[in-house]
Amino acid sequence: MKIAIIGSGYVGLVAAGCFAELEHEVVCVDRDEAKLARLSRGECPIHEEFLPELLKDYVGNRLRFTADLPAAVAASEVVFIAVGTPGSDSGEADLTSVESVAREVARGINDYKVIVEKSTVPVCTAQRLATILEQGGAPRGRFDVVSNPEFLREGSAVCDFLFPDRIVIGSSSARASDKLRAVYAPLTSGAYSMRADAIPAPDGAPLPPPLIQTSTRSAELLKHAANAYLAMRVSFINAVANLCESVGASVEEVCAGLGADSRIGPEFLQPGIGYGGACFPKDLAAFHAVARECGYDFALLDEVKRINEMQRERFLGKVREALWTIKGKRLAVLGLAFKGGTDDIRESPAIFVVEQLLAEGATVVAYDPAAMPRAREVFTELEYAEDAYEAADGADGLLILTDWEEFAALELARLRRALRYPIVVDGRNLFSPERMAEEGFFYHSIGRPQPRAQRALKLRKAS
Ligand code: UGA
């Protein structure tokens, strides 16, 4: 099928690459000429597994980039709107880009088109979009607006897109639903996963994925509800972790028992320094604003946010507890991205922690496998290291702020030798407290009892 994607951010670009992988003809639109030039050369602007390969394979044949939005729409049967919907001061989603894009889309409607909301938008946006398209001169019978929310996560976006838990189509038009079903047919028929050259399916992915058909409003609402629910789980487990700390219980053991309940499940129960990123904080606020507009006070969402913000402060408290004074200390920081697998630092709790430590007079030397180029653009007062050991070299303590897999695989003896003092404050529970104690670290983590550093104690006893 001929598909236009408006917006080449995380969602738009991943969708563009993946639709090309599913053998559709894709044109991706952006107004940033410099970005378009890079994309047209096949360069990948974000750190996302498998995306560079998709761009390399398809740019110039099934996938092209342009700034000419109306022409892209005119040449396509299905148009996905995947532009940003940032948060405003009042929490509401700022739909300025969606509206201006819709006005341009109207100019390209020369034949029947399915206009798809891919961006996360408040409920009832489809209705607004239809009005804008009509005002722009597109006759009512020439288009349908449908909602097709995206559930991909940064860091595993390509796999999430190609092997989703479900595909949701929110539409009141059978004609539009049929078109969208055809777009996803390679996934829902199982044909893609059986291709010899397919990207391998992650463990546990439902094959083929179920397709859930809903009303347009239900689809819009369920996307907000999904992110709010997931954020709530993170805050819930962080609150439980805090309780565990008070009584000497282990949040890991609690999670093992909790997650074994099939009604609860084990996913998304990892305590840490709180959620961040471009989605949860913004979508939680937008969902709250939607509820407010509907006359419902969704106070639960306030509490989710409050716990999340408190979690970062608690972590800073642990750092102060472990290091006693902060001013003048040299601190190694592992991780700046809001989670592992991405170079995205938007709303990253790691960045919040680093900013606080700098404000308190610490020197911070940071290492992140992917996010340093982005961090460098906004953070000049940081020192950056080539790897974790260099960051640790001579530092008074080491903080783990992002759950990168490579951090969990670090050589602990080497790390300890590099550090001036063997203090590790782990905001992501990447190591077992027992092992860290055996390796001689003074190790602090989230929601777990803290054994004393054995080697350090032994050495002290021996002397
Ligand atoms: C999230 C959703 O998971 C996606 O389904 C959704 O499509 C996306 O938002 C979006 O709306 O675009 P993402 O923000 O990429 O995806 O990242 P997540 O993996 O959900 O993590 C969000 C935050 O929660 C991260 O800071 C992560 O470290 C934290 N988290 C997650 C935890 O602290 N504990 C967990 O158990 C899980």
Side-chain angles (χ1 to χ4, degrees):
M1 291 187 77
K2 288 186 170 20
I3 293 176
I5 312 252
I6 321 292
S8 64
Y10 278 90
V11 171
L13 193 57
V14 170
C18 290
F19 282 141
E21 169 83 347
L22 300 180
E23 301 184 357
H24 298 303
E25 284 262 329
V26 185
V27 53
C28 186
V29 183
D30 205 290
R31 57 180 180 195
D32 180 340
E33 295 281 358
K35 191 176 185 191
L36 286 175
R38 282 187 68 192
L39 288 167
S40 299
R41 290 194 297 269
E43 288 173 29
C44 187
I46 52 175
H47 180 93
E48 200 55 68
E49 198 184 10
F50 298 121
L51 192 56
E53 290 83 350
L54 293 182
L55 296 184
K56 191 166 150 281
D57 287 351
Y58 302 120
V59 172
N61 49 74
R62 288 208 287 272
L63 173 56
R64 63 189 179 87
F65 294 93
T66 181
D68 190 342
L69 195 159
V73 172
S76 305
E77 304 160 76
V78 183
V79 178
F80 287 84
I81 298 180
V83 293
T85 52
S88 62
D89 291 344
S90 58
E92 285 163 34
D94 176 353
L95 299 176
T96 316
S97 301
V98 175
E99 180 183 339
S100 69
V101 156
R103 294 203 184 273
E104 276 197 82
V105 168
R107 291 171 44 215
I109 297 186
N110 53 356
D111 203 350
Y112 178 72
K113 311 280 176 196
V114 181
I115 313 299
V116 189
E117 290 173 349
K118 201 59 161 163
S119 309
T120 302
V121 289
V123 64
C124 299
T125 299
Q127 197 185 328
R128 292 258 184 203
L129 280 176
T131 308
I132 299 282
L133 294 173
E134 271 190 284
Q135 287 169 354
R140 197 63 194 89
R142 283 261 180 98
F143 67 87
D144 281 300
V145 180
V146 304
S147 167
N148 169 223
E150 183 49 56
F151 302 99
L152 62 78
R153 291 161 296 177
E154 289 181 21
S156 54
V158 169
C159 279
D160 288 347
F161 193 96
L162 293 171
F163 302 101
D165 285 349
R166 76 301 208 187
I167 293 163
V168 174
I169 297 180
S171 161
S172 55
S173 147
R175 188 179 181 192
S177 298
D178 286 349
K179 282 259 183 203
L180 215 48
R181 280 171 186 270
V183 168
Y184 286 106
L187 300 182
T188 52
S189 67
Y192 174 68
S193 61
M194 283 185 289
R195 250 170 53 185
D197 64 344
I199 287 171
D203 289 343
L207 289 176
L211 191 145
I212 299 172
Q213 178 88 44
T214 68
S215 73
T216 317
R217 288 182 185 186
S218 300
E220 290 170 331
L221 202 124
L222 82 83
K223 167 66 195 185
H224 266 157
N227 274 3
Y229 180 80
L230 290 169
M232 182 184 74
R233 271 178 82 103
V234 175
S235 279
F236 180 83
I237 206 60
N238 280 333
V240 171
N242 296 340
L243 263 181
C244 287
E245 284 174 12
S246 309
V247 298
S250 158
V251 70
E252 251 156 28
E253 291 172 2
V254 171
C255 280
L258 199 60
D261 186 322
S262 61
R263 295 166 301 174
I264 297 174
E267 301 290 330
F268 247 76
L269 288 176
Q270 180 65 40
I273 55 172
Y275 60 77
C279 302
F280 283 2
K282 159 181 86 76
D283 290 347
L284 206 73
F287 197 32
H288 204 293
V290 165
R292 209 167 38 234
E293 220 169 281
C294 300
Y296 180 68
D297 178 16
F298 209 151
L300 173 65
L301 302 182
D302 275 335
E303 189 56 17
V304 170
K305 181 176 177 227
R306 192 189 67 79
I307 294 171
N308 196 53
E309 286 169 358
M310 194 177 70
Q311 197 64 11
R312 305 159 175 192
E313 296 293 348
R314 277 185 69 100
F315 181 78
L316 280 164
K318 278 181 199 288
V319 176
R320 292 185 199 105
E321 180 67 29
L323 284 135
W324 194 11
T325 59
I326 301 294
K327 195 170 160 194
K329 294 263 166 78
R330 183 176 175 81
L331 300 177
V333 158
L334 299 189
L336 295 168
F338 81 98
K339 60 181 250 185
T342 180
D343 57 352
D344 198 344
I345 56 168
R346 288 175 292 175
E347 297 284 325
S348 171
I351 297 289
F352 174 86
V353 166
V354 168
E355 276 172 344
Q356 293 298 311
L357 294 171
L358 289 172
E360 288 176 36
T363 300
V364 175
V365 49
Y367 169 69
D368 186 289
M372 291 196 295
R374 295 212 170 182
R376 275 197 176 99
E377 288 169 16
V378 287
F379 255 138
T380 43
E381 57 286 57
L382 278 190
E383 281 182 39
Y384 295 93
E386 286 298 306
D387 60 33
Y389 306 107
E390 189 186 308
D393 193 20
D396 294 299
L398 177 103
L399 316 184
I400 301 174
L401 303 183
T402 306
D403 52 345
W404 279 99
E405 274 175 30
E406 76 165 67
F407 296 161
L410 286 171
E411 253 181 77
L412 294 175
R414 192 173 159 198
L415 204 61
R416 191 170 45 77
R417 281 197 304 274
L419 284 166
R420 187 164 175 220
Y421 299 110
I423 300 169
V424 173
V425 192
D426 180 356
R428 299 293 187 165
N429 285 2
L430 295 190
F431 298 103
S432 116
E434 291 72 24
R435 181 162 167 234
M436 290 301 275
E438 275 165 31
E439 293 283 347
F441 286 99
F442 291 79
Y443 179 69
H444 308 257
S445 60
I446 311 286
R448 302 183 298 179
Q450 195 186 314
R452 307 193 70 186
Q454 289 174 10
R455 189 167 303 179
L457 288 177
K458 271 186 213 149
L459 286 176
R460 226 181 292 152
K461 272 186 198 150
S463 62

